[in-house]
Amino acid sequence: MESKALKAITLYFALFSPVFASASDETVSRLSNYLQIETVNPPGNEIRGAQFFARIFEEAGIAYEIAESAPGRGNIWARLPAADPTTAEPGIILLHHIDVVSASAGHWDLPPFSGDIKDGFLYGRGALDTKGLGIIQLQAFLALAASGKPLTRDVLFLATADEESGGAFGAGWLIKERPELFEGMGFLINEGGGGQELGNDKRMVSVEVTQKVPLWLRLTASGQPGHGSMPQPETAVTRLVRVAERIVSTEFPVRIIEPVAVMLSGTAQYRSSPEEREAMSDIGAAVKNPGFVETLQANDPATHALLRNTCSMTRLSASDKINVVPPEAHLELDCRLLPDQSPAEFIDSLKQIIDDPTIRFETLLSFTPAVSSSDTELFAAIDTVTQQHYPGTPVVPGVLGGFTDSHFFRELGIVSYGYSPTFVPISEMRGIHGNNERISVEALGAAVVLMTDLLELFTLPQE
């Protein structure tokens, strides 16, 4: 049955088709339908998204598989094999995640799961993170399959569950339970980077090659419980408060790693002032100037976070009654480590900072640090197709302050890049995990063309 959103889109195309000259009805309608599938994690229900792709693959005559890591936690993949397995080059994975974060409908201009269109934009939770990328990859994948041309390497389309909660039911589960899927694979394209519209006809492409490593910790203090009317010299709560104060007052050392220096230098020309451009061109020298790091943290916290390890206190818990002194108090930390930092060594340094051997540490989440080289044929191919479509646009390696599922594959030795071929204004990036997440229909269509060209360049024999 045709949805109301799809009827509206069809009508919009009929009335204002020049606006969408670069986008196809099929791409937009598929993304609209995908956005209407509610896959908020928790609980995820990603099987709904997997079944959506299954119907498309069945229509195209492409074999696929679905696996549930738990009831409702669906993952789906389809493979285009190399023409000659004996001479095949390392394969490429096209990865995105089906799950999305929640959305507060009252703060959106259009319902977050409507897939509706307004003023040339397609609205919906996941439009940028990452259902939009998934449809772009799908359309390029289907075009490659329909061409019937012999491939030099396998191409694996992969849509997974649970990325928004760490990937244990998605990419992490597949690597553990279905490792044969990734044999012979050497490259991966995922979220985490892409094109940026900077205004005044300026644009750039950032290809994420590494990311800060999440280290989520729970610190627990113990003490003698009692009645709130009889204060004690020391309790679990007072001990934990001292621990929190020591962490808050600690500034972790600034340390410039090479991927960050390369990224900042490569994007320095787009900074708004001469002073910023000079500082980012040589960030190692800039951080030696008194007050620079503090000013950067106040004005540009995202860049500042790439210069040092960080810890944010995000949860405090103790008694569930105001008149009860609890036996335990808990503090949870969201720490993000530079990619070359050992998590174990960082925990040791935290223990020295708090200087209280009675505090118990529990690691809630931790990944292995890894960096993908930008000196590869895939990075070169991304640059080539970018120059074909957008001559003179710089393509630079990027470092992500957050994390994605790419770390699972970097641990396998698979070169993994965060790259979406969409060019998105910086202002639109606020929609990711925020209100009014949307993608330009024009940019969507252009992205499919670029991704298709990239796959053809990377997977077809070149003369």
Side-chain angles (χ1 to χ4, degrees):
M1 181 180 294
E2 188 177 41
S3 69
K4 291 182 179 179
L6 184 53
K7 289 179 180 178
I9 289 170
T10 302
L11 177 61
Y12 210 97
F13 265 95
L15 294 176
F16 303 106
S17 58
V19 178
F20 306 111
S22 63
S24 70
D25 293 24
E26 183 181 67
T27 299
V28 176
S29 63
R30 279 180 172 160
L31 179 54
S32 174
N33 288 332
Y34 195 18
L35 294 174
Q36 293 173 59
I37 302 171
E38 189 169 334
T39 52
V40 172
N41 185 7
N45 290 322
E46 295 92 346
I47 190 63
R48 301 169 180 171
Q51 291 165 345
F52 163 80
F53 285 112
R55 290 189 291 271
I56 294 173
F57 290 138
E58 286 173 359
E59 291 175 1
I62 296 174
Y64 66 88
E65 288 188 65
I66 290 178
E68 289 182 278
S69 53
R73 310 310 301 270
N75 302 275
I76 185 171
W77 59 92
R79 185 186 301 266
L80 301 180
D84 185 352
T86 63
T87 61
E89 299 174 2
I92 182 170
I93 304 166
L94 305 177
L95 171 68
H96 83 283
H97 59 88
I98 301 170
D99 62 318
V100 298
V101 297
S102 61
S104 300
H107 298 281
W108 284 56
D109 294 341
L110 296 173
F113 299 101
S114 66
D116 279 337
I117 198 168
K118 179 182 179 182
D119 298 329
F121 285 87
L122 195 54
Y123 282 72
R125 175 59 82 218
L128 296 173
D129 182 17
T130 59
K131 290 183 175 180
L133 175 61
I135 294 300
I136 292 166
Q137 293 178 343
L138 172 73
Q139 295 297 90
F141 181 85
L142 293 175
L144 194 64
S147 74
K149 296 177 181 178
L151 305 181
T152 61
R153 64 182 85 231
D154 284 9
V155 182
L156 181 69
F157 177 91
L158 179 61
T160 60
D162 198 44
E163 189 277 341
E164 296 292 0
S165 293
F169 290 98
W173 183 84
L174 286 169
I175 286 173
K176 181 180 178 181
E177 301 296 332
R178 299 296 299 269
E180 70 279 1
L181 287 176
F182 310 110
E183 294 177 359
M185 308 307 289
F187 300 92
L188 175 140
I189 292 177
N190 186 23
E191 63 177 324
Q196 298 178 21
E197 292 282 2
L198 304 172
N200 299 320
D201 292 326
K202 293 183 178 180
R203 57 175 61 89
M204 62 164 289
V205 173
S206 174
V207 179
E208 181 263 341
V209 298
T210 190
Q211 49 199 233
K212 292 190 77 176
V213 179
L215 177 63
W216 294 353
L217 301 171
R218 178 183 291 125
L219 279 55
T220 300
S222 301
Q224 184 66 34
H227 200 284
S229 65
M230 297 179 287
Q232 302 176 42
E234 184 172 75
T235 67
V237 174
T238 60
R239 181 175 288 123
L240 197 67
V241 167
R242 285 199 300 272
V243 166
E245 175 58 29
R246 289 168 185 163
I247 295 174
V248 166
S249 61
T250 297
E251 290 187 346
F252 298 103
V254 171
R255 190 161 53 83
I256 310 301
I257 62 172
E258 183 180 3
V260 169
V262 170
M263 180 187 74
L264 295 181
S265 176
T267 58
Q269 60 180 306
Y270 299 110
R271 294 283 173 163
S272 58
S273 70
E275 293 78 14
E276 285 184 291
R277 291 193 287 271
E278 180 181 1
M280 297 304 156
S281 294
D282 190 354
I283 191 65
V287 297
K288 297 176 182 178
N289 296 331
F292 172 80
V293 175
E294 290 74 13
T295 301
L296 186 67
Q297 183 175 15
N299 298 332
D300 188 355
T303 298
H304 165 265
L306 299 177
L307 307 183
R308 62 188 353 156
N309 298 321
T310 62
C311 283
S312 293
M313 295 184 190
T314 54
R315 289 181 178 175
L316 286 165
S317 61
S319 178
D320 59 357
K321 292 182 67 66
I322 194 170
N323 62 343
V324 173
V325 176
E328 289 187 343
H330 309 280
L331 166 66
E332 293 187 8
L333 300 174
D334 180 356
C335 299
R336 305 295 175 112
L337 311 183
L338 294 172
D340 61 353
Q341 172 68 62
S342 162
E345 291 178 0
F346 183 78
I347 291 174
D348 287 342
S349 70
L350 272 184
K351 290 180 177 179
Q352 293 178 14
I353 290 168
I354 67 175
D355 192 28
D356 186 342
T358 68
I359 300 297
R360 302 198 306 274
F361 276 69
E362 179 185 357
T363 299
L364 304 178
L365 180 72
S366 180
F367 299 152
T368 301
V371 180
S372 291
S373 171
S374 59
D375 184 18
T376 70
E377 54 189 318
L378 178 56
F379 196 98
I382 292 172
D383 184 59
T384 296
V385 297
T386 299
Q387 302 313 316
Q388 290 173 350
H389 289 268
Y390 306 98
T393 299
V395 179
V396 299
V399 181
L400 192 64
F403 68 87
T404 71
D405 279 340
S406 291
H407 73 92
F408 289 113
F409 300 91
R410 289 183 178 132
E411 292 172 20
L412 297 179
I414 296 174
V415 173
S416 302
Y417 292 146
Y419 170 69
S420 173
T422 51
F423 281 87
V424 179
I426 293 177
S427 60
E428 294 297 326
M429 301 302 287
R430 291 194 298 265
I432 297 176
H433 289 209
N435 300 324
N436 292 321
E437 185 177 355
R438 63 185 193 173
I439 187 170
S440 160
V441 175
E442 184 176 3
L444 180 66
V448 170
V449 173
L450 203 154
M451 180 64 82
T452 302
D453 287 352
L454 173 61
L455 284 187
E456 290 182 348
L457 176 62
F458 195 64
T459 65
L460 297 180
Q462 304 298 313
E463 295 181 358

